[in-house]
Amino acid sequence: MKYLLPFLIIIPATEITLLIYVGKTIGLFPTLLIMLFTAGTGAYLAKKQGLAILQKAKQQLAYGQVPGDSIMDGVCVLIGATLLLAPGFLTDIIGLFLLLPVTRRLIKPFLVRWLQHMFMNNRFTIIRR
C-alpha cells in the first residue's frame, strides 16, 4: 500500500507532462488522433486476445487441465486493455506490452513471482460470506 501513493502521483504527472510535450510538438489534433487510435486499437486487441485466451482455457478444461497460464494471460489482457483505454502515452506503452503475446510472456514470470510473494506473506485479504 505504501508503494501505491507514489504511483498515483508519479504516473498522472508523467502522463500530463508527456501529453503537453507531444501536444506542443505535433499539435493538438494529431495528439488527440493518436490517443483515439490507441484506445480503438486497445479495444480491438483486448477483444481478440481475450477471446483467444477464453478458447484456450475452454480447451484446457475439456482436457481436464487447470487453465492457470490462461488465467494469468487473461489478467494481463484485462490490465493491458484498461491501460490502453486510459488517456496517456505511458499507460498505452505498458498496456500494449501486456496485450501482445510476445511481450506478455516476458512479463508473466515477474507477475507470478509477485503474486506468490504476496500470498506467502499474507498480503491478500480473502473475504468470505
Side-chain angles (χ1 to χ4, degrees):
M1 190 66 177
K2 65 181 177 180
Y3 299 111
L4 186 61
L5 185 61
F7 280 117
L8 291 175
I9 295 170
I10 292 170
I11 290 177
T14 305
E15 291 288 7
I16 291 169
T17 304
L18 283 171
L19 285 172
I20 290 172
Y21 178 75
V22 171
K24 283 184 179 181
T25 304
I26 64 172
L28 175 66
F29 291 113
T31 304
L32 291 175
L33 286 175
I34 290 171
M35 288 174 50
L36 289 173
F37 176 75
T38 57
T41 303
Y44 171 76
L45 283 174
K47 181 180 178 183
K48 183 178 175 186
Q49 291 293 319
L51 291 174
I53 290 168
L54 185 61
Q55 186 66 26
K56 183 180 174 186
K58 283 181 182 180
Q59 286 177 347
Q60 288 175 337
L61 286 172
Y63 289 120
Q65 300 171 345
V66 177
D69 195 42
S70 296
I71 291 172
M72 287 305 297
D73 281 335
V75 168
C76 288
V77 167
L78 178 66
I79 294 170
T82 304
L83 289 174
L84 270 171
L85 291 175
F89 295 112
L90 182 63
T91 53
D92 288 347
I93 291 169
I94 296 169
L96 191 62
F97 270 33
L98 288 170
L99 275 181
L100 296 176
V102 175
T103 54
R104 190 170 54 231
R105 269 188 242 122
L106 299 172
I107 294 170
K108 274 194 312 187
F110 296 107
L111 185 60
V112 168
R113 266 190 253 128
W114 177 74
L115 286 172
Q116 287 174 342
H117 177 73
M118 295 295 278
F119 278 117
M120 293 297 192
N121 292 330
N122 293 325
R123 300 279 173 107
F124 281 103
T125 302
I126 299 173
I127 301 171
R128 297 181 188 180
R129 292 183 188 192

